[in-house]
């Protein structure tokens, strides 16, 4: 039980990586808060299966909503130990085709949403707590088809540095977990067959990841084991080549 | 270096780094379009005086956050010269604040100018940029270092590095190179006025060259990336930071 009784908030945990992390944390004894934007039924299912006390709707674009939700969590548990900023969207398009609306949506959720979520957790997170931001290989590699997503995810790594510096005096570690390509709904929606082929050719492990393969690093970053690890990006990408 | 008759645009070039970059490009023979922030009369005057001084023929009002304004700049430049060879995405702002103090408005303003502005300008230049053209984005050591005090600025500038990779990949087949120049602490009126004892000590301990850089050292690096000799350099971020450890 590496996270016994730790209060862990995972944004966007009704499916995908967020769900896998929620399940993994619960198995390690954490008290997990599941949040969702639209997938209410899925969130309830996940939350029930892992014995979660709180299953809450959260829109990371909406500061008032974040404030309200985090206050509710603090009222229930008294504090927060771990925040995983996982909620994210992607709108795939070539550089010349991406619209301003797509750009804004991706930046608002994937970058500004992380910023707001981090700011709003500050009054509630305990000293020696953990903040884990979910980055992406796309941010390290720069694309190829998603200027907004790549820019947002690279900026999240920078936000990680910035916040780690700010919270260092409180012994709160802030890190980034940067997944590679994961076989799943998100990838199916956003990657063409050609792009998948190119991606595979760049990987030392000749396959895409499973959501479950992100969980080990996420547990490590939330646990006592990582107490001297801060401002780092841990890439879990099968050895994908990054410049 | 020879940039003779190359058509260049430097965004935000009525003063500061942008003015210096425009000046250097012209010195190497380029024809540089000067842009100033729309609806700012003082900047318009600065821009016109600068253009006269450094021999630029075209001065255009620009707001990089407004797509129609950027479209207009590219169209006017193309009509005037017939094509564009060099785009320097220099326009930028900074609103300093600690992590817990930054407001949503300040955060958004910095991201809109420093990151989305680069995206919009880069998209809108695509119909006009000549093969073998050059796009140079101005980053910042803040984006590499993550701070220290401005999450919005640091995030925007590292986002610019990701855009640099992304666009370099997209446009490589036209032999257009896309790179980022990332200045460290540079001597400027603003920095001199505000340089604290702590900054002085930081420079002495962390900058290998033990001094501030000059605006010229930034602009010369931009000119190099714009030149023929840099033709096989793309997708790169070049730090001009005196060996500041990052």
């Amino acid at each position: 039980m590496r996270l016994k009784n730790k209060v862990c908030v995972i944004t966007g945990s009704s499916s995908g990586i967020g769900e896998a992390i929620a399940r993994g944390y619960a198995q390690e004894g954490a008290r997990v808060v599941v949040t969702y934007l639209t997938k209410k039924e899925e969130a309830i299912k996940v939350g029930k299966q892992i014995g979660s006390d709180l299953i809450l709707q959260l829109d990371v674009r909406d500061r008032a909503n974040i404030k309200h939700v985090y206050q509710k969590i603090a009222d229930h548990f008294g504090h927060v130990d771990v925040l995983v900023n996982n909620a994210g969207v992607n709108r795939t398009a070539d550089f010349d085709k991406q619209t301003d609306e797509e750009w804004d949506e991706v930046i608002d959720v994937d970058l500004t949403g992380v910023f707001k979520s981090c700011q709003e957790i500050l009054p509630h997170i305990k000293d020696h707590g953990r903040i884990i931001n979910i980055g992406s290989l796309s941010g390290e590699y720069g694309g190829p088809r998603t200027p907004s997503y790549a820019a947002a995810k690279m900026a999240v790594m920078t936000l990680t540095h910035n916040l780690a510096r700010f919270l260092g005096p409180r012994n709160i570690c802030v890190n980034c977990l940067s997944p590679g390509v994961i076989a799943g709904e998100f990838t199916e929606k956003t990657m063409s067959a050609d792009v998948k082929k190119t991606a595979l050719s760049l990987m030392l492990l000749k396959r895409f990841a499973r959501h479950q393969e992100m969980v080990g690093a996420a547990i490590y970053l939330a646990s006592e084991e990582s107490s001297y690890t801060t401002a780092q990006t841990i890439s879990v990408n099968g050895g994908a080549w990054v410049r | 270096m020879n940039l003779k008759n190359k058509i260049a645009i430097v965004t935000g070039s009525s003063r500061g780094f942008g003015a210096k970059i425009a000046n250097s490009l012209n010195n190497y023979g380029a024809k540089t379009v000067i842009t100033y922030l729309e609806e700012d009369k003082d900047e318009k005057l600065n821009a016109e005086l600068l253009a006269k001084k450094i021999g630029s023929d075209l001065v255009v009002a620009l707001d990089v956050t407004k797509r129609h304004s950027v479209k207009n700049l590219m169209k006017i430049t193309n009509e005037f010269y017939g094509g564009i060879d060099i785009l320097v995405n220099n326009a930028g702002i900074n609103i300093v604040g600690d992590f817990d103090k930054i407001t949503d408005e300040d955060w958004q303003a910095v991201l809109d100018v420093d990151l989305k502005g680069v995206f919009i300008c880069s998209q809108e230049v695509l119909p006009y940029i000549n093969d073998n053209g050059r796009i140079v984005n101005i980053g910042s050591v803040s984006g590499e270092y993550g701070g220290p005090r401005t999450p919005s600025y640091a995030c925007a500038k590292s986002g610019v590095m990701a855009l640099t990779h992304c666009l370099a990949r997209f446009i490589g087949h036209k032999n257009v190179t896309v790179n980022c120049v990332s200045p460290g602490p540079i001597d400027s009126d603003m920095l001199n006025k505000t340089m604290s004892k702590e900054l002085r000590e930081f420079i002495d301990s962390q900058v290998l060259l033990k001094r501030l850089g000059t605006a010229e050292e930034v602009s010369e690096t931009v000119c190099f990336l714009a030149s023929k000799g840099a033709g096989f350099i793309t997708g790169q971020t070049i730090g001009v930071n005196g060996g500041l450890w990052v």
Side-chain angles (χ1 to χ4, degrees):
Chain A
M1 290 284 191
R2 291 148 79 193
L3 302 176
K4 183 117 189 95
N5 290 330
K6 297 281 184 196
V7 178
C8 300
V9 180
I10 303 157
T11 69
S13 39
S14 56
S15 65
I17 297 176
E19 178 192 347
I21 293 174
R23 291 180 187 280
Y25 280 11
Q27 276 177 10
E28 295 293 340
R31 293 183 285 181
V32 175
V33 179
V34 173
T35 87
Y36 64 94
L37 179 60
T38 56
K39 294 178 180 165
K40 185 175 180 179
E41 278 173 29
E42 289 91 330
I44 290 171
K45 193 175 153 202
V46 173
K48 280 197 172 149
Q49 286 176 352
I50 66 174
S52 175
D53 285 3
L54 289 178
I55 302 158
L56 302 168
Q57 187 177 34
L58 174 71
D59 184 347
V60 296
R61 292 167 297 189
D62 181 349
R63 183 176 285 275
N65 178 237
I66 301 170
K67 214 186 262 294
H68 173 74
V69 167
Y70 289 180
Q71 186 62 53
K72 210 166 175 174
I73 295 166
D75 289 345
H76 187 86
F77 291 110
H79 67 274
V80 170
D81 293 297
V82 178
L83 169 67
V84 182
N85 286 305
N86 167 74
V89 297
N90 193 0
R91 296 286 173 260
T92 313
D94 279 331
F95 196 96
D96 58 343
K97 297 287 192 307
Q98 182 123 69
T99 66
D100 286 348
E101 292 68 32
E102 290 168 340
W103 172 276
D104 285 341
E105 186 188 0
V106 172
I107 298 287
D108 284 353
V109 176
D110 295 359
L111 176 55
T112 304
V114 176
F115 168 66
K116 288 176 179 169
S117 169
C118 288
Q119 267 194 337
E120 293 302 332
I121 208 71
L122 292 180
H124 308 300
I125 193 164
K126 268 173 94 169
D127 288 2
H128 300 275
R130 301 280 192 273
I131 295 176
I132 301 160
N133 298 322
I134 303 300
S136 168
L137 173 61
S138 173
E140 299 174 77
Y141 178 81
R145 290 193 64 234
T146 39
S148 53
Y149 190 72
K153 289 299 190 179
M154 187 164 191
V156 161
M157 295 177 216
T158 300
L159 196 68
T160 302
H161 297 165
N162 192 279
L163 185 56
R165 196 166 280 124
F166 184 74
L167 289 178
R170 291 180 58 192
N171 263 292
I172 294 172
C173 297
V174 187
N175 293 290
C176 180
L177 194 173
S178 179
V181 182
I182 297 177
E185 182 197 3
F186 199 81
T187 300
E188 282 311 313
K189 267 199 278 190
T190 56
M191 284 176 97
S192 69
D194 274 2
V195 173
K196 281 187 204 161
K197 201 173 150 196
T198 309
L200 277 178
S201 75
L202 298 172
M203 284 168 198
L204 303 187
L205 308 182
K206 297 291 174 196
R207 61 177 176 82
F208 293 154
R210 300 186 306 273
H211 289 121
Q212 188 58 33
E213 289 176 299
M214 304 302 127
V215 176
I219 293 172
Y220 162 74
L221 289 174
S223 73
E224 286 307 313
E225 299 151 35
S226 63
S227 55
Y228 203 60
T229 304
T230 196
Q232 305 304 306
T233 292
I234 298 191
S235 301
V236 183
N237 61 24
W241 175 87
V242 175
R243 44 168 253 105
Chain B
M1 283 184 289
N2 183 359
L3 300 174
K4 196 163 167 59
N5 293 329
K6 296 287 183 196
I7 310 308
I9 296 173
V10 181
T11 66
S13 45
S14 55
R15 60 191 161 95
F17 278 167
K20 193 75 192 175
I21 293 166
N23 192 3
S24 297
L25 289 168
N26 280 1
N27 283 343
Y28 289 113
K31 295 172 187 298
T32 304
V33 180
I34 306 298
T35 83
Y36 65 93
L37 184 60
E38 253 174 33
E39 291 162 14
D40 188 332
K41 289 216 165 59
D42 291 343
E43 283 310 305
K44 185 172 191 224
L45 192 62
N46 280 344
E48 280 165 356
L49 288 172
L50 176 78
K52 202 166 206 181
K53 194 171 135 202
I54 69 172
S56 280
D57 296 322
L58 194 55
V59 176
V60 182
L62 173 68
D63 181 342
V64 295
T65 67
K66 295 190 176 121
R67 190 167 282 275
H68 64 86
S69 173
V70 176
K71 249 186 221 302
N72 182 54
L73 164 71
M74 301 305 172
K75 191 162 165 275
I76 291 177
T77 304
N78 185 57
E79 278 166 9
F80 195 85
Y81 289 115
I84 297 167
D85 297 298
I86 300 161
L87 170 66
V88 182
N89 284 309
N90 166 74
I93 60 169
N94 192 3
I95 306 171
V96 182
D98 280 328
F99 196 97
D100 56 344
K101 298 286 193 307
I102 297 234
T103 65
D104 287 349
E105 292 68 33
D106 288 351
W107 167 274
Q108 199 60 50
V110 171
L111 282 195
D112 280 351
V113 176
D114 294 0
L115 179 54
K116 192 179 181 186
V118 174
F119 169 66
I120 294 176
C121 291
S122 300
Q123 263 192 340
E124 294 300 335
V125 83
L126 292 179
Y128 305 111
I129 197 156
N130 293 322
D131 287 3
N132 303 305
R134 301 280 191 267
I135 296 174
V136 182
N137 297 325
I138 304 299
S140 166
V141 72
S142 171
E144 300 173 77
Y145 177 81
R149 284 193 63 227
T150 1
S152 53
Y153 188 74
C155 285
K157 290 299 189 180
S158 87
V160 163
M161 293 176 210
L163 273 186
T164 302
H165 299 165
C166 193
L167 183 56
R169 199 163 275 126
F170 180 74
I171 205 173
H173 67 99
K174 287 181 74 177
N175 264 291
V176 173
T177 70
V178 187
N179 293 291
C180 179
V181 171
S182 179
I186 303 294
D187 198 0
S188 67
D189 290 347
M190 195 174 77
L191 196 56
N192 276 337
K193 269 188 216 142
T194 58
M195 182 143 74
S196 58
K197 191 167 157 275
E198 288 74 26
L199 179 58
R200 182 79 260 168
E201 280 168 6
F202 172 79
I203 288 162
D204 284 343
S205 68
Q206 301 295 326
V207 178
L208 302 186
L209 303 185
K210 308 292 177 202
R211 64 175 176 84
L212 294 170
T214 67
E216 197 172 353
E217 288 168 322
V218 175
S219 68
E220 289 292 317
T221 305
V222 173
C223 289
F224 163 66
L225 288 173
S227 72
K228 197 176 169 194
F232 205 55
I233 300 175
T234 197
Q236 305 301 308
T237 291
I238 300 199
V240 181
N241 59 26
L244 172 59
W245 177 86
V246 175

